[in-house]
Amino acid sequence: MTDVAIVGAGPTGLMLACELRLAGAEVVVLEALPERTGHSKALGLHARSLEVLAQRGIVERFLAEGHPKVPVGHFAGIRKLDFERFTGDHPYMLRIPQADTERLLEQWALELGVELRFGARVTGFAQDPEGVALTVEVPEGAYVLQAAYAVGCDGGHSTVRELLGVGFPGTPTTLTAMVGDVELPGLDQPVTGSMPRHTNGVAMQFPLGAGLYRVVTVEFDKVTDRDAPLDIDVLRTAYRSIAGTDYGMRGARWLSRFGDATREAEQYRAGRVFLAGDAAHIHFPASGQGLNLGIQDAANLGWKLAAVLAGRAGEELLDTYHEERHPVAAAVLHNTRAQVALMEPGDKVGALRELFDLLLDFDDVRDFLTGMVNGLDVVYPASGDHPLAGRRVPNTVLKTEDGERRVHELLHGGHGVLLDLSDGASALAAGSRRAVVDTVRARADELGAGALLIRPDGYVAWAAPAGEVTGEGLESALTKWFGPTA
């Protein structure tokens, strides 16, 4: 018997396991693969994901291995998104292969005491008001794992979602895209500027280091079965047919085929079973948003599930996971569909791209799209109308009795934080919730607030204006997010 069984040991599943374990829950992660493939797959961590890792005190591990820090992003291949215009410690996208992200998260999970089981395929489950019974197949046979809750983090073809019978509406794939990490010995020009569009598709490449390039082709005039045979000859032929050359492509390290199917689960929760990451939403991988979306799903769900398991909050807290994350993913799915439309060949779309390119010269337009891509524009429902309510808390320097501290340091333990900035003018308290909400008194004039209630995922649940700290609304916010006073 375990508290939570997580199906899938990708970035979402590992991040969720760490969040739960940090809060004291017992966790078993079941991964169907016998071992990690080591394939690079996704290649970047955006600013909000880096902040989530910083809130847990482990971001330096990723910064030490990721390279480069990319200050400019793209929308449909138009490279004008300026990450440096956003305030925060990470005004860039960190280039880091998914294999390294998974390895670092797995290392953290093992340090926290998460149990990882590879070669363990979930083939069925049943749930009742008391828990979930998962049927797990392993090379030696099969067994049943009992858990209080289960979470499907098992990708776009999620077995958990299918077994749940949760609808997965959206749009089917309309194109054929391929990706490969290959050598291009004949490429001698610098790789800069926007994505090149050709008359019959898209062919692009960018350097990965050590002589490798990430190559992407998009053919808009055909749909190929994802399971059709794929080797470097197939990728080379597609690239040459689009770009007129293949730059001597050779030495493939990894190849994959994908489409633009865009779907989202109708519900992220069905009783005691949840969906997160690609199991909950799939989309064309434009602007590197998918992996980051999953990590932030995990950061949202983990502390809530742990609070209910510990008896500190009621089941209704778990409903806020769907309420908050479903709209966020829907917005990502919408912008990736728009990007696919802007990438299509043809003069009509070309004229639209030229206009869109001009619009991105306006700061407001550029900032709107940049915040959408890097995850810094997310706002959750919160109490009050303070500008910080519902938004991520800035990692401001605080002046405390123990010296200077940064806000993210207060979140390393996965607790909530009641940050009293009234300079002794108030007597705010978290009541009997001291085990899960740390009260910190400090000064930080630049926050423009008298007090903040910060959730474990770094979002502000309640805020009082500077100089007017009465505590109005605080108790109801504490009760909603951290349970009633004992």
Side-chain angles (χ1 to χ4, degrees):
M1 178 71 178
T2 189
D3 289 332
V4 183
I6 296 174
V7 184
T12 303
L14 290 170
M15 185 71 197
L16 178 60
C18 293
E19 288 289 290
L20 287 162
R21 190 73 193 103
L22 193 66
E26 294 297 325
V27 185
V28 174
V29 179
L30 304 166
E31 171 55 55
L33 292 175
E35 60 185 9
R36 298 209 177 277
T37 64
H39 295 156
S40 56
K41 299 182 182 179
L43 282 177
L45 291 172
H46 278 299
R48 182 55 196 157
S49 295
L50 292 170
E51 288 183 348
V52 167
L53 297 170
Q55 289 167 187
R56 298 299 180 255
I58 62 167
V59 72
E60 294 300 330
R61 304 183 187 190
F62 295 82
L63 297 178
E65 299 208 18
H67 180 79
K69 297 175 179 177
V70 183
V72 179
H74 76 87
F75 193 89
I78 303 172
R79 296 189 61 80
K80 287 190 175 181
L81 303 188
D82 188 355
F83 297 137
E84 293 183 325
R85 283 179 55 83
F86 277 65
T87 58
D89 296 337
H90 309 287
Y92 49 80
M93 184 193 77
L94 181 69
R95 180 78 56 76
I96 181 170
Q98 180 174 328
D100 290 339
T101 296
E102 291 178 351
R103 175 173 51 81
L104 292 170
L105 286 174
E106 181 177 326
Q107 178 186 38
W108 186 36
L110 293 174
E111 291 170 8
L112 292 172
V114 171
E115 183 179 350
L116 294 172
R117 300 181 186 178
F118 284 89
R121 182 183 299 276
V122 172
T123 59
F125 67 81
Q127 62 170 315
D128 59 32
E130 303 302 318
V132 185
L134 298 94
T135 302
V136 185
E137 290 189 358
V138 294
E140 299 77 20
Y143 63 90
V144 174
L145 175 65
Q146 300 285 344
Y149 293 91
V151 187
C153 302
D154 50 340
H157 297 287
S158 170
T159 298
V160 173
R161 187 187 64 242
E162 293 178 3
L163 291 170
L164 275 176
V166 170
F168 202 41
T171 57
T173 193
T174 64
L175 51 78
T176 293
M178 289 181 284
V179 60
D181 294 346
V182 301
E183 299 173 18
L184 299 176
L187 182 66
D188 56 6
Q189 75 266 33
V191 182
T192 59
S194 298
M195 174 190 69
R197 291 170 69 250
H198 301 273
T199 57
N200 60 337
V202 170
M204 61 183 295
Q205 67 285 320
F206 53 88
L208 297 177
L212 283 180
Y213 288 82
R214 167 63 57 89
V215 165
V216 179
T217 63
V218 185
E219 298 168 280
F220 290 87
D221 58 351
K222 66 178 181 179
V223 176
T224 304
D225 188 335
R226 285 192 60 178
D227 296 326
L230 176 60
D231 57 26
I232 192 169
D233 288 335
V234 176
L235 179 62
R236 185 188 293 118
T237 298
Y239 195 100
R240 188 187 304 121
S241 70
I242 297 170
T245 181
D246 60 24
Y247 299 112
M249 188 184 302
R250 68 186 186 192
R253 305 295 196 275
W254 172 65
L255 299 168
S256 184
R257 183 183 278 116
F258 60 95
D260 64 331
T262 304
R263 300 183 182 278
E264 184 170 20
E266 290 179 332
Q267 291 292 327
Y268 286 15
R269 179 192 182 192
R272 288 179 167 267
V273 183
F274 300 81
L275 300 171
D278 287 354
H281 37 70
I282 59 170
H283 57 85
F284 187 83
S287 304
Q289 299 172 83
L291 180 151
N292 294 272
L293 194 59
I295 285 179
Q296 291 157 50
D297 285 347
N300 185 285
L301 176 60
W303 65 275
K304 297 173 181 177
L305 191 50
V308 173
L309 280 163
R312 297 189 297 265
E315 287 272 333
E316 63 275 6
L317 180 62
L318 299 178
D319 292 330
T320 67
Y321 169 60
H322 172 89
E323 293 166 3
E324 293 184 338
R325 294 305 297 172
H326 192 278
V328 172
V332 171
L333 270 57
H334 187 264
N335 88 56
T336 54
R337 289 187 65 195
Q339 292 192 61
V340 170
L342 279 168
M343 289 165 57
E344 288 193 22
D347 293 339
K348 290 183 178 179
V349 175
L352 180 60
R353 281 181 69 88
E354 290 174 8
L355 177 58
F356 205 85
D357 195 331
L358 292 174
L359 289 173
L360 279 169
D361 289 333
F362 291 88
D363 289 345
D364 287 349
V365 175
R366 189 165 62 246
D367 291 350
F368 176 79
L369 293 176
T370 303
M372 184 183 295
V373 165
N374 65 14
L376 298 183
D377 71 340
V378 172
V379 182
Y380 294 139
S383 303
D385 55 4
H386 190 280
L388 286 176
R391 297 182 181 274
R392 73 192 222 283
V393 65
N395 190 28
T396 303
V397 175
L398 303 171
K399 297 178 181 178
T400 74
E401 294 179 352
D402 300 321
E404 291 188 348
R405 301 181 68 185
R406 303 290 294 272
V407 172
H408 286 171
E409 294 177 44
L410 308 181
L411 297 167
H412 285 184
H415 289 183
V417 175
L418 178 55
L419 185 57
D420 186 346
L421 303 167
S422 67
D423 199 19
S426 70
L428 300 177
S432 62
R433 309 171 186 89
R434 287 188 295 273
V436 290
V437 180
D438 301 325
T439 300
V440 178
R441 292 178 172 81
R443 292 186 59 186
D445 296 338
E446 58 268 37
L447 285 176
L452 301 174
L453 178 62
I454 308 168
R455 305 184 338 180
D457 58 0
Y459 286 89
V460 176
W462 169 86
E468 301 178 23
V469 184
T470 63
E472 181 180 357
L474 174 59
E475 183 57 34
S476 62
L478 283 165
T479 299
K480 177 177 182 177
W481 299 112
F482 300 100
T485 298

